Amino acid sequence: MDSFLHANLPLAEAAKSEGIGWNIFVYSGLTFAIVFGFVALARKGLKGRVYTSLPTRLAEHLFLFLEGMTVNVIGPQGRKFVPFLLALWSFIFVGNLMGLLLPETPTADWSLNIAMAVITVVYVQWEGIKANGLVGHIKHFAGPKLGGAMVVISGLIFVVEIISELMKLVSLSLRLYGNIHGGHLVRESLDTLIAGIPLGGLLLPLKFFTCIIQAFVWTILTCTYLAIATAHGHDDEHEGDHGGHGHEPELAHA
Amino acid sequence: MESIAVGIGLAVGIAGLGVGIGQGLAANGGLQGMARQPEAGKQINNAMLLALVFLELVFILTFVIGILLVGKIH
């Protein structure tokens, strides 16, 4: 029992302290610096006809990977979202990676995650409004068009959709926070299991894998939200037609 | 206050059990689909990852509740 309480002591202390954690500003600034430095290095290699420098090639692979995922989920018109997704991916990935070697992780702090979730969800709403218009976007929350007395049902669907939209904030931020912070807790507990032997180091490969997966998960969820928000509401009505509206290539993916 | 500690252990354990079974089923379906139709592998992979992520959220929520409860152990 004693060792169990001991392993959780730092957490209990952290829960008691109510101040601003200035560390998070330092470490997220460091994350920004690393991402910008990498991008600046990669940009230098863009001059030649063939990309020979290593950062440029890595950045190209990352871009192609995310572009492939976006086109797979949203369709060819989703290419304009790739810069936003790339920024999210690189920030989350570098932020997660920091926890492997440095004492503090920016993404293991819920405040940073909820800020990123707010940015993501607001951006998705903005793109939805741009694609369907304000009225169309709000109508989109009410589900399919129902006639007569079924308006009550539409109202209910509207309320549920708004709640689920708000829950996206919670689920996005808590997922990243839980995964990264949970990994740290497990490592700390393993470190205190046998005094003097840092057993938690054995978890490093697994945690590295988690870093990649979590960054990927955030971007693919953003992709899915974008695909739902920017889908044109009249597509499902055309499905009953005999293929007369073949001008939209994304129908092939549906 | 020991009941809280036992409760946290039970909560995380049971949630892990359920989520483990669920994720196993999802991965089973996805991998079988990929083996039978390798050409659809990419799309199945994306859908499977999404399913795994949503299942994992259940466990993460349990974990966060556990963290909140750990602060109540005196």
Side-chain angles (χ1 to χ4, degrees), chain A residues 30-157:
Chain A
L30 191 59
T31 310
F32 272 123
I34 291 174
V35 172
F36 276 117
F38 175 74
V39 172
L41 275 180
R43 197 160 179 267
K44 261 186 202 166
L46 285 177
K47 282 172 189 148
R49 279 176 65 108
V50 182
Y51 302 152
T52 47
S53 79
L54 185 65
T56 315
R57 278 186 289 160
L58 283 177
E60 188 191 10
H61 275 288
L62 180 59
F63 181 84
L64 288 178
F65 161 69
L66 279 176
E67 193 198 17
M69 185 190 79
T70 316
V71 170
N72 204 2
V73 175
I74 307 182
Q77 80 274 23
R79 282 207 174 84
K80 59 180 172 181
F81 303 132
V82 176
F84 177 67
L85 297 170
L86 193 62
L88 270 182
W89 195 95
S90 40
F91 184 77
I92 295 173
F93 177 66
V94 175
N96 290 348
L97 216 55
M98 221 162 256
L100 297 185
L101 300 172
L102 299 180
E104 190 97 1
T105 319
T107 47
D109 194 321
W110 189 57
S111 48
L112 183 73
N113 295 348
I114 189 79
M116 280 199 294
V118 167
I119 293 172
T120 306
V121 170
V122 169
Y123 177 73
V124 169
Q125 303 304 317
W126 169 245
E127 286 294 338
I129 290 171
K130 265 210 313 201
N132 292 329
L134 185 59
V135 180
H137 185 63
I138 293 175
K139 256 191 205 163
H140 164 255
F141 285 123
K145 207 174 185 180
L146 305 169
M150 301 291 269
V151 174
V152 184
I153 307 278
S154 283
L156 280 178
I157 294 177

Side-chain angles (χ1 to χ4, degrees), chain A residues 210-221:
Chain A
T210 312
C211 290
I212 302 176
I213 288 286
Q214 286 313 310
F216 175 67
V217 156
W218 190 298
T219 45
I220 199 176
L221 280 174

